[in-house]
Amino acid sequence: MTLRIGNASGFYGDRFTAWREMLDGGELDVLTGDYLAELTMLILGRDRAKDATSGYAKTFLRQMQQSLGAALDRGVKIVTNAGGLNPSGLADALRALGLPARIGVVDGDDVTALFPGALTANAYLGAFGIAECLRGGADIVVTGRVTDASLVVGPAIARFGWSRDDLDALAGASVAGHVLECGAQATGGNFAYFTELPDGGRRPGFPIAELHSDGSAVITKHPGTGGAVTCATITAQLLYEIASPAYVGPDVVAHFDTIALAGAGPDRVLISRVRGSEPPPTLKVGVSTLAGYRNAMTFVLCGLDLEAKAALVRTQLEDTVGKDGLEFVLARTDHADADTEETASALLHVHLTDADARRAGRAFSQAAVELALASYPGFTLTGPPGDATPVGVFTAEWLPQQDVPHTAVLPSGERVSIAPPRRFAAEEGAAADEGAAAEEGAPPTVYSVRGAPSSGTGALRRVPLGTIVGARSGDKGGDANLGVWAREDAGFGWLRDFLTVERLRELLPETAALAIDRYELPNLRALNFVVHGLLGRGVAASTRFDPQAKAVGEWLRSRLVDVPEELL
């Protein structure tokens, strides 16, 4: 028996037409859509503060106006977390479309009342509420905050009848859910080797998981869609926004160091052998708070004396609006003796954060504009003055699982309380045991590293690191995740020896003063790094050039290193 689950959204703002494309492109049993991220919860929180009837992803409602009828006609179940902060409100809006859809709702995740001063506080629920709604006859299940993987795990529980004791099966489905959750990133989107894709990465299709009763899955896509499904594209997504190889969820801990990948035909990759263990006794709670207001202006500095020009702007702005909350970053994008004006220029980014919206707003941006005829030669700005925007800060807290009222509201209106797991990991943190793959009975890794050259042998050639490794990076609160993988066994042998934490700090100087965790995943020929604090207080509050760390992996791949010629 196979359960065919597709994905049509990886974030709030993803390809609008993907739902209809997936429904029209081939057979599916379930179609999922992920809309929630840390930044999204802040956006929805601000929406709800203005209008208590909002707080859900309105784009999803418009997509269903075009696609829900087709899903009902074809018997495709829809599962989405687009309910955000108001899943019952979205369910009501869907009913107002007038289609005969039986709608289930999962709620209980909103625990804002327990966190005074929070804009939003939502626990990451598991998959069993989704499964209960589907077993209760739902055609569409709308949730609030559940883990991204739960959108896939829930339908699998309903189809295969898994219990909470089926840890390996739950872990396998969690891995499949992690692959699907970011949509086209599994099929060649944002892929390090995009130039090698059949269509050059122009329009990748959305992924599908063919799930089996043991938790294994084949990842594929509809025929004729762009991109590709290969072990490399799947590896890239597996490394996205993880930390320890022990991937902790509310229902199971999936051990990524036990994953086996194997090609299963064109655009087909089998994921198998995943081991699972008991989850921790607590649920992660994402808490969003407002922490003042922010504004930014960017000055273009061209030609000579760039440091002095930047210093003049700094002095002038500090004299006008005061020093508190001001941040200056000079990006030296200029080249000496440049043959274009743009390449002769650097950018001075100036940010102001303050509790006072008026000071961070027009008082700041107007002060910048007023320098136009009274500052450095060649004065220009990249944009007009703007008003301040709220700064949101995301933090993670934890609550005991039994203290969060996980509830499934069936299409009949019956409310079913979802009990927490019967057994938990021995203690919090024990779930993150990285030695799970070495336990008796655990499967061997897929790849072995035999005779791999070390970094100190043979002739070396200085090339960009990305010549022989791929990478993908992203954000987790204020931390950055950076996964790096090699294509071949020998390349991983060299990479494992070469890319230490100390070497990473040398190659990425912005990380030099930060705490870094390093994990090895030899079955994926990969290393994963967590760089703590690179993003400050998180995406919404970060003033970093790349606030979500999306390009950190490509920065690393661009750095020149000495590589053994035999690997080239």
Coordinates of all heavy atoms in Angstrom, one line a residue, residues 454-521:
S454 N 43.7 12.6 2.8 CA 43.6 13.7 3.8 C 44.0 15.0 3.2 O 44.5 15.0 2.1 CB 44.5 13.3 5.0 OG 45.9 13.5 4.6
S455 N 43.9 16.0 4.0 CA 44.1 17.4 3.4 C 45.6 17.6 3.3 O 46.0 18.6 2.7 CB 43.5 18.4 4.3 OG 44.0 18.3 5.6
G456 N 46.5 16.7 3.8 CA 47.9 17.0 3.7 C 48.7 16.2 2.8 O 49.9 16.1 2.9
T457 N 48.0 15.5 1.8 CA 48.7 14.6 1.0 C 48.5 15.0 -0.5 O 47.5 15.5 -0.9 CB 48.2 13.1 1.1 OG1 46.8 13.1 0.7 CG2 48.3 12.6 2.6
G458 N 49.6 14.7 -1.3 CA 49.5 14.9 -2.7 C 49.6 16.4 -3.1 O 49.6 17.3 -2.3
A459 N 49.5 16.6 -4.5 CA 49.6 17.9 -5.0 C 48.2 18.6 -4.7 O 47.2 18.0 -4.8 CB 49.8 17.9 -6.5
L460 N 48.3 19.9 -4.5 CA 47.1 20.7 -4.1 C 46.9 21.8 -5.2 O 47.9 22.3 -5.8 CB 47.3 21.4 -2.8 CG 47.6 20.5 -1.6 CD1 47.8 21.3 -0.3 CD2 46.4 19.5 -1.4
R461 N 45.6 22.1 -5.4 CA 45.3 23.2 -6.3 C 44.3 24.2 -5.5 O 43.4 23.7 -4.9 CB 44.7 22.7 -7.5 CG 44.5 23.8 -8.6 CD 43.6 23.4 -9.8 NE 44.1 22.1 -10.3 CZ 43.3 21.5 -11.3 NH1 42.2 22.0 -11.7 NH2 43.8 20.3 -11.7
R462 N 44.5 25.5 -5.7 CA 43.7 26.5 -5.0 C 42.5 26.8 -5.9 O 42.6 27.3 -7.0 CB 44.5 27.7 -4.7 CG 43.8 28.6 -3.7 CD 44.8 29.6 -3.1 NE 44.3 30.4 -2.0 CZ 44.0 30.0 -0.8 NH1 44.3 28.8 -0.4 NH2 43.5 30.8 0.1
V463 N 41.3 26.4 -5.4 CA 40.1 26.5 -6.1 C 39.0 26.9 -5.1 O 39.1 26.8 -3.9 CB 39.7 25.2 -6.8 CG1 40.7 24.8 -7.9 CG2 39.5 24.1 -5.8
P464 N 37.8 27.4 -5.6 CA 36.7 27.6 -4.7 C 36.3 26.3 -4.1 O 36.2 25.3 -4.7 CB 35.6 28.2 -5.6 CG 36.4 28.8 -6.8 CD 37.6 27.9 -7.0
L465 N 35.9 26.4 -2.8 CA 35.5 25.2 -2.1 C 34.3 24.5 -2.8 O 34.1 23.3 -2.8 CB 35.1 25.5 -0.6 CG 34.6 24.4 0.2 CD1 35.7 23.2 0.3 CD2 34.3 24.9 1.6
G466 N 33.4 25.4 -3.4 CA 32.2 24.9 -4.1 C 32.6 24.1 -5.3 O 31.6 23.5 -5.9
T467 N 33.8 24.0 -5.7 CA 34.2 23.2 -6.9 C 33.9 21.7 -6.6 O 33.5 20.9 -7.5 CB 35.7 23.3 -7.2 OG1 35.9 24.7 -7.4 CG2 36.1 22.5 -8.4
I468 N 34.0 21.3 -5.3 CA 33.8 19.9 -5.0 C 32.8 19.6 -3.9 O 32.5 18.5 -3.6 CB 35.1 19.3 -4.5 CG1 35.7 19.9 -3.2 CG2 36.2 19.3 -5.6 CD1 36.8 19.1 -2.6
V469 N 32.2 20.7 -3.3 CA 31.1 20.5 -2.3 C 29.9 21.4 -2.6 O 30.0 22.4 -3.1 CB 31.6 20.7 -0.9 CG1 32.8 19.8 -0.5 CG2 31.9 22.2 -0.6
G470 N 28.7 20.9 -2.2 CA 27.5 21.7 -2.2 C 27.2 22.2 -0.8 O 27.8 21.7 0.2
A471 N 26.3 23.1 -0.7 CA 26.0 23.7 0.6 C 24.5 24.2 0.6 O 24.0 24.6 -0.5 CB 26.9 24.7 1.1
R472 N 23.9 24.2 1.7 CA 22.7 24.9 1.9 C 22.6 25.5 3.3 O 23.0 24.8 4.3 CB 21.5 24.0 1.6 CG 20.1 24.7 1.8 CD 19.0 24.0 1.3 NE 18.9 24.1 -0.2 CZ 18.2 23.3 -1.0 NH1 17.4 22.3 -0.4 NH2 18.2 23.5 -2.3
S473 N 22.1 26.7 3.5 CA 22.0 27.3 4.8 C 20.7 28.0 5.0 O 19.9 28.2 4.1 CB 23.2 28.4 4.9 OG 23.1 29.3 3.8
G474 N 20.4 28.3 6.3 CA 19.2 28.9 6.7 C 19.2 29.4 8.1 O 20.2 29.4 8.8
D475 N 18.0 29.8 8.6 CA 17.9 30.4 9.9 C 17.1 29.5 10.9 O 16.3 28.7 10.5 CB 17.2 31.7 9.8 CG 15.8 31.6 9.3 OD1 15.7 31.4 8.1 OD2 14.9 31.7 10.1
K476 N 17.5 29.6 12.2 CA 16.8 29.0 13.3 C 16.8 30.0 14.4 O 17.8 30.1 15.2 CB 17.4 27.7 13.7 CG 17.0 26.5 12.9 CD 15.5 26.1 13.1 CE 15.1 24.9 12.4 NZ 13.7 24.6 12.5
G477 N 15.8 30.9 14.5 CA 15.9 32.0 15.5 C 17.1 32.9 15.2 O 17.2 33.3 14.0
G478 N 17.9 33.1 16.2 CA 19.1 33.9 16.0 C 20.3 33.1 15.5 O 21.4 33.7 15.3
D479 N 20.1 31.8 15.3 CA 21.2 31.0 14.8 C 21.1 30.7 13.3 O 20.1 30.8 12.7 CB 21.2 29.6 15.6 CG 21.3 29.8 17.1 OD1 21.8 30.8 17.5 OD2 20.8 28.9 17.8
A480 N 22.3 30.4 12.7 CA 22.3 30.0 11.3 C 22.7 28.5 11.2 O 23.6 28.0 12.0 CB 23.3 30.8 10.6
N481 N 22.1 27.8 10.3 CA 22.4 26.4 10.0 C 23.1 26.4 8.7 O 22.7 27.1 7.7 CB 21.1 25.6 10.0 CG 21.2 24.4 9.0 OD1 20.5 24.5 8.0 ND2 22.0 23.4 9.3
L482 N 24.2 25.6 8.6 CA 25.0 25.5 7.4 C 25.3 24.0 7.2 O 26.1 23.4 7.9 CB 26.3 26.3 7.5 CG 27.3 26.2 6.5 CD1 26.8 26.5 5.1 CD2 28.5 27.0 6.8
G483 N 24.7 23.4 6.1 CA 25.0 22.1 5.8 C 25.9 22.0 4.6 O 25.7 22.8 3.6
V484 N 26.9 21.2 4.6 CA 27.9 21.0 3.5 C 28.0 19.6 3.2 O 28.1 18.7 4.1 CB 29.2 21.6 3.9 CG1 30.2 21.6 2.7 CG2 29.1 23.0 4.5
W485 N 27.9 19.2 1.9 CA 28.1 17.8 1.5 C 29.0 17.6 0.3 O 29.1 18.5 -0.5 CB 26.7 17.2 1.2 CG 26.1 17.5 -0.2 CD1 26.2 16.8 -1.3 CD2 25.4 18.7 -0.5 NE1 25.6 17.4 -2.3 CE2 25.1 18.5 -1.9 CE3 24.9 19.8 0.1 CZ2 24.3 19.5 -2.6 CZ3 24.2 20.8 -0.5 CH2 23.9 20.6 -1.9
A486 N 29.6 16.4 0.2 CA 30.4 16.1 -0.9 C 29.7 15.1 -1.8 O 28.8 14.4 -1.4 CB 31.7 15.4 -0.4
R487 N 30.1 15.0 -3.0 CA 29.4 14.2 -4.0 C 30.0 12.7 -3.9 O 29.3 11.8 -4.3 CB 29.6 14.7 -5.4 CG 29.1 16.1 -5.7 CD 28.9 16.2 -7.2 NE 28.9 17.6 -7.6 CZ 28.3 18.0 -8.7 NH1 27.7 17.1 -9.5 NH2 28.3 19.3 -9.1
E488 N 31.2 12.6 -3.6 CA 31.9 11.3 -3.6 C 32.5 10.9 -2.2 O 32.7 11.8 -1.4 CB 33.0 11.3 -4.6 CG 32.6 11.7 -6.0 CD 31.7 10.8 -6.7 OE1 31.6 9.6 -6.2 OE2 31.0 11.2 -7.6
D489 N 32.7 9.6 -2.0 CA 33.3 9.2 -0.8 C 34.6 9.8 -0.5 O 34.8 10.3 0.7 CB 33.5 7.6 -0.8 CG 32.2 6.9 -0.8 OD1 31.1 7.5 -0.6 OD2 32.2 5.7 -1.1
A490 N 35.5 9.9 -1.5 CA 36.8 10.5 -1.2 C 36.7 12.0 -0.9 O 37.4 12.5 0.0 CB 37.7 10.3 -2.5
G491 N 35.8 12.6 -1.5 CA 35.6 14.0 -1.2 C 35.1 14.3 0.2 O 35.5 15.2 0.9
F492 N 34.2 13.4 0.7 CA 33.8 13.5 2.1 C 34.9 13.2 3.0 O 35.1 13.8 4.1 CB 32.6 12.6 2.4 CG 32.2 12.6 3.8 CD1 31.7 13.8 4.3 CD2 32.4 11.5 4.6 CE1 31.3 13.9 5.7 CE2 32.0 11.6 6.0 CZ 31.4 12.8 6.5
G493 N 35.8 12.2 2.7 CA 36.9 12.0 3.6 C 37.8 13.2 3.7 O 38.2 13.5 4.9
W494 N 38.0 13.9 2.6 CA 38.8 15.1 2.7 C 38.0 16.2 3.4 O 38.6 16.9 4.3 CB 39.2 15.6 1.3 CG 39.8 16.9 1.3 CD1 41.1 17.2 1.5 CD2 39.2 18.2 1.1 NE1 41.3 18.6 1.4 CE2 40.2 19.2 1.2 CE3 37.8 18.6 0.8 CZ2 39.9 20.6 1.0 CZ3 37.5 19.9 0.7 CH2 38.6 20.9 0.8
L495 N 36.8 16.4 3.1 CA 35.9 17.4 3.7 C 35.9 17.2 5.3 O 36.0 18.2 6.0 CB 34.5 17.4 3.1 CG 33.5 18.4 3.7 CD1 33.9 19.8 3.4 CD2 32.1 18.1 3.2
R496 N 35.7 16.0 5.7 CA 35.6 15.8 7.1 C 36.9 16.2 7.9 O 36.8 16.7 9.0 CB 35.3 14.3 7.4 CG 35.1 13.9 8.8 CD 34.5 12.5 9.0 NE 35.2 11.5 8.3 CZ 34.9 10.2 8.2 NH1 33.7 9.9 8.8 NH2 35.6 9.3 7.6
D497 N 38.0 15.9 7.3 CA 39.3 16.3 7.9 C 39.5 17.8 7.8 O 40.0 18.4 8.7 CB 40.4 15.6 7.2 CG 40.4 14.1 7.5 OD1 39.7 13.7 8.5 OD2 41.1 13.3 6.8
F498 N 39.1 18.4 6.7 CA 39.5 19.8 6.4 C 38.6 20.8 7.1 O 39.1 21.7 7.7 CB 39.4 20.0 4.8 CG 39.6 21.4 4.4 CD1 40.9 21.9 4.3 CD2 38.5 22.2 4.1 CE1 41.1 23.3 3.9 CE2 38.7 23.5 3.7 CZ 40.0 24.0 3.6
L499 N 37.3 20.6 7.0 CA 36.4 21.6 7.5 C 36.0 21.5 8.9 O 35.0 21.0 9.3 CB 35.1 21.7 6.6 CG 34.3 22.9 6.7 CD1 35.1 24.2 6.4 CD2 33.1 22.9 5.8
T500 N 37.0 21.9 9.8 CA 36.8 21.9 11.2 C 36.1 23.2 11.6 O 35.9 24.1 10.7 CB 38.1 21.8 11.9 OG1 38.9 23.0 11.5 CG2 38.9 20.5 11.5
V501 N 35.7 23.3 12.8 CA 35.1 24.6 13.3 C 36.1 25.7 13.1 O 35.8 26.8 12.7 CB 34.7 24.4 14.8 CG1 34.3 25.8 15.4 CG2 33.5 23.5 14.9
E502 N 37.4 25.4 13.5 CA 38.4 26.5 13.3 C 38.6 26.9 11.9 O 38.7 28.1 11.6 CB 39.7 26.0 13.9 CG 39.8 25.7 15.4 CD 38.9 24.5 15.8 OE1 38.7 23.6 15.0 OE2 38.5 24.5 17.0
R503 N 38.5 26.0 11.0 CA 38.7 26.3 9.6 C 37.4 27.1 9.1 O 37.6 28.1 8.3 CB 38.8 25.1 8.7 CG 39.0 25.3 7.2 CD 40.5 25.5 6.9 NE 41.2 24.2 7.1 CZ 42.5 24.1 6.9 NH1 43.2 25.1 6.4 NH2 43.0 22.9 7.1
L504 N 36.3 26.8 9.6 CA 35.1 27.5 9.2 C 35.2 28.9 9.6 O 34.8 29.9 8.9 CB 33.8 26.8 9.8 CG 32.5 27.5 9.4 CD1 32.2 27.2 7.9 CD2 31.4 27.0 10.3
R505 N 35.7 29.2 10.8 CA 35.8 30.5 11.3 C 36.8 31.3 10.5 O 36.7 32.5 10.2 CB 36.3 30.5 12.8 CG 35.2 30.0 13.8 CD 35.7 30.3 15.2 NE 34.6 30.0 16.1 CZ 34.6 29.0 17.0 NH1 35.7 28.2 17.1 NH2 33.6 28.8 17.9
E506 N 37.9 30.6 10.0 CA 38.8 31.3 9.1 C 38.2 31.7 7.8 O 38.4 32.8 7.2 CB 40.0 30.4 8.8 CG 40.9 30.1 10.0 CD 42.0 29.1 9.7 OE1 42.1 28.7 8.5 OE2 42.7 28.7 10.7
L507 N 37.4 30.8 7.2 CA 36.8 31.0 5.9 C 35.6 32.0 6.0 O 35.4 32.8 5.0 CB 36.3 29.7 5.3 CG 37.4 28.7 5.0 CD1 36.8 27.4 4.6 CD2 38.3 29.2 3.8
L508 N 34.9 32.0 7.1 CA 33.8 33.0 7.3 C 34.1 33.8 8.5 O 33.6 33.5 9.6 CB 32.5 32.2 7.5 CG 32.1 31.1 6.4 CD1 30.8 30.5 6.7 CD2 32.1 31.8 5.0
P509 N 34.9 34.9 8.3 CA 35.3 35.7 9.5 C 34.2 36.2 10.3 O 34.3 36.5 11.5 CB 36.1 36.8 8.9 CG 36.6 36.2 7.6 CD 35.5 35.3 7.1
E510 N 33.0 36.4 9.8 CA 31.9 36.9 10.5 C 31.5 35.9 11.7 O 30.8 36.3 12.6 CB 30.7 37.2 9.6 CG 30.8 38.3 8.7 CD 29.6 38.5 7.8 OE1 28.5 38.0 8.1 OE2 29.8 39.2 6.8
T511 N 31.9 34.7 11.6 CA 31.6 33.7 12.6 C 32.6 33.5 13.6 O 32.5 32.7 14.6 CB 31.3 32.3 11.9 OG1 32.6 31.8 11.5 CG2 30.4 32.4 10.8
A512 N 33.7 34.3 13.5 CA 34.9 34.0 14.3 C 34.7 34.1 15.8 O 35.3 33.3 16.6 CB 36.1 35.0 13.9
A513 N 33.9 35.0 16.3 CA 33.7 35.1 17.7 C 32.5 34.4 18.2 O 32.1 34.5 19.4 CB 33.5 36.6 18.0
L514 N 31.8 33.6 17.4 CA 30.6 32.9 17.8 C 30.8 31.4 18.1 O 31.7 30.8 17.6 CB 29.6 33.0 16.6 CG 29.2 34.5 16.2 CD1 28.4 34.5 15.0 CD2 28.6 35.3 17.3
A515 N 29.9 30.9 18.9 CA 29.9 29.5 19.3 C 29.4 28.7 18.1 O 28.4 29.1 17.4 CB 29.0 29.2 20.5
I516 N 30.0 27.6 17.7 CA 29.7 26.8 16.6 C 29.6 25.4 17.0 O 30.5 24.8 17.5 CB 30.7 27.0 15.4 CG1 30.7 28.5 15.0 CG2 30.3 26.1 14.2 CD1 31.7 28.8 13.9
D517 N 28.5 24.7 16.6 CA 28.4 23.3 16.8 C 28.6 22.6 15.4 O 28.2 23.1 14.4 CB 27.0 22.9 17.3 CG 26.6 23.5 18.6 OD1 27.6 23.6 19.4 OD2 25.4 23.8 18.9
R518 N 29.3 21.4 15.5 CA 29.6 20.7 14.2 C 29.1 19.3 14.4 O 29.4 18.6 15.4 CB 31.1 20.7 14.0 CG 31.6 20.0 12.7 CD 33.1 20.0 12.7 NE 33.7 19.4 11.5 CZ 34.0 18.1 11.4 NH1 33.8 17.3 12.4 NH2 34.5 17.6 10.3
Y519 N 28.4 18.8 13.4 CA 27.9 17.4 13.4 C 28.3 16.7 12.1 O 28.3 17.3 11.0 CB 26.4 17.4 13.5 CG 25.8 18.2 14.7 CD1 25.4 19.5 14.6 CD2 25.8 17.5 16.0 CE1 24.9 20.1 15.7 CE2 25.4 18.2 17.1 CZ 24.9 19.5 17.0 OH 24.4 20.1 18.1
E520 N 28.6 15.5 12.2 CA 28.9 14.6 11.0 C 27.8 13.7 10.6 O 27.2 13.1 11.5 CB 30.2 13.8 11.3 CG 31.4 14.6 11.5 CD 32.7 13.8 11.6 OE1 32.6 12.5 11.5 OE2 33.8 14.3 11.9
L521 N 27.4 13.7 9.4 CA 26.4 12.7 8.8 C 27.0 12.0 7.7 O 26.8 12.3 6.5 CB 25.2 13.5 8.4 CG 24.4 14.2 9.5 CD1 24.8 15.7 9.6 CD2 22.9 14.1 9.2

